[in-house]
Amino acid sequence: TELMNRVPVVWIELQDCAGNSEALLRSSAPTVDDLIFDVLSLEFHETIMAASGHQADAQLEDAIEHFKGKYLLFVEGAIPTAMNGQYGTIGASGETFQEHLERLSKDAAAVVAVGTCATFGGIPAAAPNPTGAVGVMNIVKGKPVINIPACPANPANMVGVVLHYVLTGQIPELDSLLRPKFAFGYRIHDNCERRAHFDAGEFVEEWGDHGAQNNFCLYKVGCKGPMTFNNCSIIRYNEGANWPVGVGRGCIGCSEPDFWDKYAYERPM
Ligand code: SF4
Ligand code: F3S
């Protein structure tokens, strides 16, 4: 017997690189196959689905009609607002990304913005932001919006939100930036494996020096872990294989608002 009803998911891509889709494909607990067969029903996903062209358009329209008020709308990528949204159009109708998002969010149960572009504008919104890119919460009003930032968003956090919704019928508790507290309630720095070196004043001073060879703290070569709220230091990426600090280059604050302009990879002043 099925433990739970599978939740219908419609996943759209706007100004994106498909990095969050790639991350989802690497979900390990549960694996993406278990996820797609047992937990959610992926009704539409441009990158993964077999259909293309008009068939794909039709599949999307069928899904939002059939699962009206019930589907979770996952959004990957920013929304261009400059030039009346003409920087991004989609489908045969030439609908702009903004119109597309507004229309599809209308009958969604909730909207989940995955990745830093969909949450806060991300790289497309970096100065001088020629396309006027913004995140989902700037466009979608009157619907619950859940933000799962990071570049890419960690699949464990996407799965966490879906499972919470499936098991309780509700969205998880969110912070003031609409991020689930279970994932974004503490800083990278709070749980970092190099923290003892920070506390002992042992820093990498130059790439490749004695400190770098001994996994000292990366703060002086630009680590933004003390300012970044995320759980990468606990769950890591790629089935727990590794994460930015683990490979010795530090955190660049990829899940923070204004990432790129504010947290470019610079040394502290
Ligand atoms: Fe903090 Fe970064 Fe140092 Fe880790 S490497 S202790 S996150 S400053
Ligand atoms: Fe991003 Fe920093 Fe995690 S760069 S992936 S938030 S360690």
Side-chain angles (χ1 to χ4, degrees):
T1 54
E2 281 205 23
L3 276 175
M4 46 202 168
N5 291 328
R6 294 194 303 160
V7 57
V9 167
V10 171
W11 181 301
I12 58 170
E13 292 181 53
L14 304 175
Q15 262 178 322
D16 79 322
C17 69
N20 300 281
S21 297
E22 288 287 338
L24 178 72
L25 292 174
R26 280 155 195 73
S27 171
S28 56
T31 63
V32 72
D33 351 10
D34 286 346
L35 193 64
I36 288 178
F37 293 126
D38 298 336
V39 180
L40 52 86
S41 170
L42 198 53
E43 297 298 326
F44 181 86
H45 191 306
E46 288 164 16
T47 305
I48 300 175
M49 66 200 273
S52 63
H54 293 295
Q55 273 185 332
D57 275 352
Q59 196 163 321
L60 176 61
E61 300 310 319
D62 285 353
I64 61 169
E65 182 58 37
H66 189 74
F67 297 106
K68 208 170 185 166
K70 297 199 178 108
Y71 61 90
L72 291 180
L73 179 67
F74 273 66
V75 184
E76 177 175 12
I79 303 95
T81 60
M83 266 181 41
N84 286 325
Q86 292 301 316
Y87 282 104
T89 64
I90 195 160
S93 68
E95 200 173 36
T96 66
F97 285 177
Q98 179 170 348
E99 289 163 344
H100 194 60
L101 172 60
E102 283 167 350
R103 186 167 67 84
L104 298 184
S105 59
K106 205 154 50 74
D107 291 321
V111 182
V112 187
V114 284
T116 298
C117 300
T119 50
F120 306 129
I123 303 229
N129 191 0
T131 66
V134 298
V136 168
M137 65 181 168
N138 293 79
I139 302 290
V140 173
K141 304 290 173 201
K143 276 284 154 187
V145 174
I146 304 158
N147 280 335
I148 312 180
C151 188
N154 200 308
N157 296 336
M158 303 182 211
V159 172
V161 166
V162 172
L163 286 179
H164 191 282
Y165 182 75
V166 170
L167 294 171
T168 67
Q170 296 184 335
I171 62 174
E173 199 185 338
L174 307 177
D175 68 11
S176 60
L177 291 172
L178 308 181
R179 304 173 296 193
K181 284 189 180 171
F182 73 77
F184 298 92
Y186 29 80
R187 296 176 180 86
I188 298 290
H189 187 62
D190 299 337
N191 300 293
C192 177
E193 65 219 23
R194 300 192 183 203
R195 178 61 187 264
H197 290 298
F198 176 91
D199 293 340
E202 294 171 343
F203 297 100
V204 175
E205 307 278 347
E206 293 292 338
W207 299 115
D209 69 4
H210 166 80
Q213 287 160 22
N214 287 282
N215 299 335
F216 283 5
C217 170
L218 295 157
Y219 184 70
K220 290 192 176 174
V221 285
C223 181
K224 300 297 185 289
M227 307 81 160
T228 303
F229 288 82
N230 208 337
N231 57 0
C232 320
S233 39
I234 300 171
I235 56 176
R236 302 169 155 225
Y237 276 86
N238 294 333
E239 306 191 8
N242 219 330
W243 69 296
V245 169
V247 297
R249 68 132 172 89
C251 169
I252 58 172
C254 78
S255 56
E256 286 295 305
D258 300 323
F259 157 66
W260 203 259
D261 293 338
K262 188 167 158 199
Y263 286 137
Y265 199 60
E266 288 165 356
R267 288 159 183 252
M269 303 299 273

